[in-house]
Amino acid sequence: MGFFDKEKKDQSKSSTPSTSQTTESNENHPLKTSLQDNIKTVKDTLGASSDIVIREIRIGKGGVLKAALMYTDGLSDTVAIQNFILESLMLDIKHTEIESELIHNPRLMKTLKDFAMTVGEIKDVTKFDELFLHLLSGDVILLVDGYSEGLNIGNRRWAERGVTESTTQTVIRGPREAFSENIRINTSLVRRKIRDPQLWMETKTIGKRTKTNIAVMYINGVANDKIVEEVRLRLDRIDIDAILESGNIEELIQDAPMSTFPTVYNSERPDVVAAAILEGRVAIFIDGTPFVLTVPALFVQFFQSSEDYYQRADLTSLVRILRFFSFGIALLAPALFIAATTFHHEMIPTSLVINLAAQREGVPFPAFIEALIMEATFEILREASLRMPRAIGSAMAIVGAFVIGTAAVEAGMISAAMVIVVSITAIASFVSPTYDMAFSVRILRFVFMGLAASFGLFGITVGLIALVLHLCSLRSFGIPYMYPIAPFNMEGQKDTFIRLPLWKIFTRPHLISQENIDRQQNPTSAMPEPEKEQ
């Protein structure tokens, strides 16, 4: 009997459609003419959620027409609904003659849209999927009994963080404003800096359940059309339930997902995004996050800061060289120390070798294990300081590193020289202006430490060759990752390892912007010839 009971249950399950299947089918259906049927479908689909407000009203002389307003509490401006929508419908047209033949005439909805609504954005709604998208986005939906179409009234307003100072990309000189979680505020911040009619923006919706708004912004005639088309194709290929942050989009459109080096640049500073767009790059805005993506992203871009273009060229060049030098220290310092102390004692001065040998006399671990312990400890402290409350996070990291380092040396577990090397490496890793590139160095540092412990300088050399080959093989939306170093471009060297004065940089990056590469006019070519003495 159990088998037959189970079979009957399976048949009953297969014959009765599930609630989710019914809901999904309703979303694709057009609106019905019956107001009560439309209200019932909305309630059934949304599960009679308590934050969905449905206000049934009567409009026209004597309340001849039944209508309903729908909005999401917390996402819509309730004051505007009261003053500009309900008042217009219930009071302004209370004494308006609405004849019986006009009730079932399509001109009624057009009349309400043209004469009764005192708000800016109004669109027609004919399907339930459009209704749910606008309703859950904060708009107000107006439905009238006897009509299979409604009106979407733009009325979005929710609690949000305003424009504040950037916390991840700080500068000494330059704008202090940063993006917020509102995509419209973010696009307006860039519009305020680039007042060019050729600054075009395309809007997409990605995420089957989150319906996240995505905006693609670029300058027509400056951005490479092939790059813009590639961005469109990669975004259109995304088929996922949810997009909650720009990192989700970055992971889905990047060129080399298995590489530690980032091929998509992100920033929360409007001036950085505006400068990237002016160079011919494409910006991708995601609603709900203050970080904006720009593509293509090149290797040298991650060593450039927005402050480089607000300071003098000589100071900027010195700081940029320091960043590249710090990149090498953060990548190779522990590995070189391990290789020198393990295999290549002849490279170290004799007096220093004696001191190092004296320090390591009571240390039970080889140099590689020492470095591994110290690096792992520092990574734990760094991650803990990020998760701790801001008021005590930095203090905990400093005190923890100092106490642990001193105690480890006094206990004879770690040599003092190793503590110095790891500390210099950690400080050099913070010089990078972008977190993504610093994170890549943190990963590769352990790889080079293992090569140094196994093969000495030979292993480090092989690792560097493999790293250079890997970097040269990467591309970001069709552009070589190491441009303008490889392929080499002389004009691009004006803003790579050093930065020449702005009046010396005449063109945009050639491979990124292939249509209009002139940034400014060459002043030498525009100078008039000196007059000859008569």
Side-chain angles (χ1 to χ4, degrees):
M1 294 295 293
F3 173 79
F4 292 105
D5 292 340
K6 181 179 179 181
E7 185 177 2
K8 290 180 180 179
K9 291 180 181 179
D10 293 339
Q11 292 177 355
S12 62
K13 289 182 180 180
S14 61
S15 60
T16 304
S18 63
T19 305
S20 60
Q21 292 176 348
T22 305
T23 300
E24 292 178 358
S25 62
N26 287 334
E27 291 183 6
N28 298 325
H29 285 177
L31 295 178
K32 304 174 183 177
T33 56
S34 173
L35 178 63
Q36 295 301 322
D37 291 345
N38 290 332
I39 293 176
K40 183 177 183 304
T41 301
V42 171
K43 288 183 177 181
D44 293 343
T45 304
L46 298 177
S49 300
S50 58
D51 60 340
I52 305 299
V53 180
I54 301 178
R55 175 78 159 85
E56 298 187 42
I57 59 176
R58 286 181 175 271
I59 60 177
K61 187 174 182 179
V64 66
L65 280 180
K66 295 181 180 179
L69 283 177
M70 304 178 182
Y71 64 93
T72 304
D73 189 18
L75 297 181
S76 300
D77 188 355
T78 55
V79 177
I81 294 174
Q82 177 68 30
N83 295 336
F84 302 109
I85 300 178
L86 282 174
E87 185 175 348
S88 300
L89 291 173
M90 300 180 67
L91 298 180
D92 295 346
I93 63 174
K94 181 177 181 180
H95 303 290
T96 302
E97 292 287 348
I98 299 181
E99 303 295 340
S100 58
E101 62 269 13
L102 187 60
I103 294 179
H104 301 289
N105 195 311
R107 289 189 294 114
L108 175 63
M109 299 303 293
K110 189 176 187 304
T111 302
L112 292 176
K113 180 168 61 174
D114 294 343
F115 297 100
M117 295 290 100
T118 58
V119 294
E121 183 182 2
I122 301 179
K123 298 179 181 178
D124 294 328
V125 177
T126 58
K127 294 184 178 180
F128 278 105
D129 55 352
E130 299 174 355
L131 184 148
F132 291 126
L133 175 61
H134 295 297
L135 177 63
L136 298 177
S137 298
D139 294 334
V140 178
I141 304 298
L142 172 64
L143 300 179
V144 180
D145 191 25
Y147 291 86
S148 60
E149 61 177 325
L151 295 181
N152 168 46
I153 307 170
N155 192 52
R156 303 179 185 183
R157 184 177 181 181
W158 50 77
E160 59 189 7
R161 182 173 63 93
V163 179
T164 58
E165 186 174 352
S166 175
T167 57
T168 59
Q169 297 176 337
T170 57
V171 295
I172 298 175
R173 181 176 180 178
R176 293 293 190 269
E177 60 188 6
F179 290 123
S180 67
E181 284 74 17
N182 191 325
I183 187 174
R184 195 54 61 220
I185 292 179
N186 296 342
T187 56
S188 66
L189 290 174
V190 177
R191 285 274 186 194
R192 196 175 67 178
K193 294 183 179 297
I194 307 177
R195 302 171 185 178
D196 187 352
Q198 295 301 313
L199 180 62
W200 290 3
M201 185 175 67
E202 304 173 6
T203 304
K204 300 178 181 293
T205 301
I206 301 179
K208 291 183 289 186
R209 299 196 180 275
T210 59
K211 303 291 193 302
T212 306
N213 292 327
I214 309 293
V216 178
M217 183 179 288
Y218 59 94
I219 298 180
N220 182 46
V222 174
N224 192 334
D225 293 337
K226 294 182 179 179
I227 296 178
V228 176
E229 184 62 27
E230 183 66 22
V231 172
R232 293 196 193 103
L233 291 175
R234 296 192 187 189
L235 291 176
D236 292 339
R237 283 202 300 261
I238 297 177
D239 185 11
I240 195 171
D241 280 352
I243 296 295
L244 301 177
E245 215 276 332
S246 60
N248 302 142
I249 295 291
E250 179 180 352
E251 191 172 355
L252 293 170
I253 66 173
Q254 61 185 343
D255 288 75
M258 301 307 295
S259 175
T260 60
F261 291 94
T263 55
V264 177
Y265 190 84
N266 67 82
S267 176
E268 64 171 348
R269 296 182 57 86
D271 57 331
V272 173
V273 175
I277 293 175
L278 289 171
E279 286 187 343
R281 291 181 168 87
V282 180
I284 305 174
F285 296 79
I286 297 92
D287 193 21
T289 175
F291 290 93
V292 176
L293 308 179
T294 57
V295 295
L298 307 183
F299 178 77
V300 297
Q301 185 181 357
F302 293 91
F303 295 90
Q304 299 172 354
S305 173
S306 61
E307 194 176 9
D308 293 351
Y309 303 93
Y310 309 144
Q311 301 280 6
R312 291 172 46 185
D314 52 355
L315 178 60
T316 297
S317 300
L318 176 63
V319 173
R320 191 171 291 182
I321 293 173
L322 183 63
R323 292 192 191 120
F324 282 98
F325 183 67
S326 300
F327 173 80
I329 293 177
L331 182 66
L332 299 175
L336 291 175
F337 183 80
I338 293 171
T341 56
T342 305
F343 296 99
H344 310 283
H345 302 285
E346 67 280 0
M347 297 178 59
I348 309 174
T350 305
S351 58
L352 182 57
V353 171
I354 295 174
N355 290 332
L356 293 176
Q359 294 177 15
R360 294 187 49 80
E361 185 177 357
V363 177
F365 305 112
F368 173 68
I369 301 299
E370 275 188 276
L372 195 61
I373 293 174
M374 289 302 298
E375 288 289 347
T377 303
F378 185 80
E379 293 295 334
I380 293 172
L381 286 173
R382 173 156 41 186
E383 190 66 21
S385 65
L386 292 176
R387 311 304 169 198
M388 294 288 290
R390 186 174 300 179
I392 62 175
S394 59
M396 190 275 295
I398 296 173
V399 174
F402 177 76
V403 171
I404 291 176
T406 304
V409 173
E410 292 180 354
M413 297 178 60
I414 305 295
S415 63
M418 183 60 70
V419 174
I420 295 174
V421 171
V422 172
S423 301
I424 293 175
T425 303
I427 295 172
S429 64
F430 287 116
V431 176
S432 175
T434 55
Y435 178 78
D436 292 342
M437 184 59 68
F439 193 83
S440 301
V441 173
R442 288 163 59 183
I443 297 175
L444 293 175
R445 187 187 306 150
F446 290 94
V447 176
F448 278 95
M449 286 166 52
L451 292 174
S454 302
F455 308 103
L457 289 179
F458 176 76
I460 295 177
T461 304
V462 173
L464 286 174
I465 294 174
L467 178 62
V468 171
L469 292 175
H470 173 68
L471 289 173
C472 292
S473 66
L474 291 178
R475 286 180 174 269
S476 178
F477 286 79
I479 306 300
Y481 192 60
M482 293 301 293
Y483 177 84
I485 303 174
F488 183 80
N489 180 266
M490 180 58 70
E491 187 69 22
Q493 303 306 313
K494 295 180 179 181
D495 191 20
T496 302
F497 297 104
I498 61 173
R499 182 182 76 81
L500 295 184
L502 293 178
W503 48 270
K504 282 283 189 180
I505 305 176
F506 309 124
T507 60
R508 299 181 177 90
H510 288 69
L511 291 183
I512 297 176
S513 177
Q514 294 183 344
E515 296 187 19
N516 182 5
I517 65 173
D518 293 330
R519 192 194 301 265
Q520 62 177 326
Q521 188 178 15
N522 191 335
T524 58
S525 62
M527 291 177 60
E529 296 182 359
E531 296 182 359
K532 297 181 180 180
E533 295 183 1
Q534 295 181 356

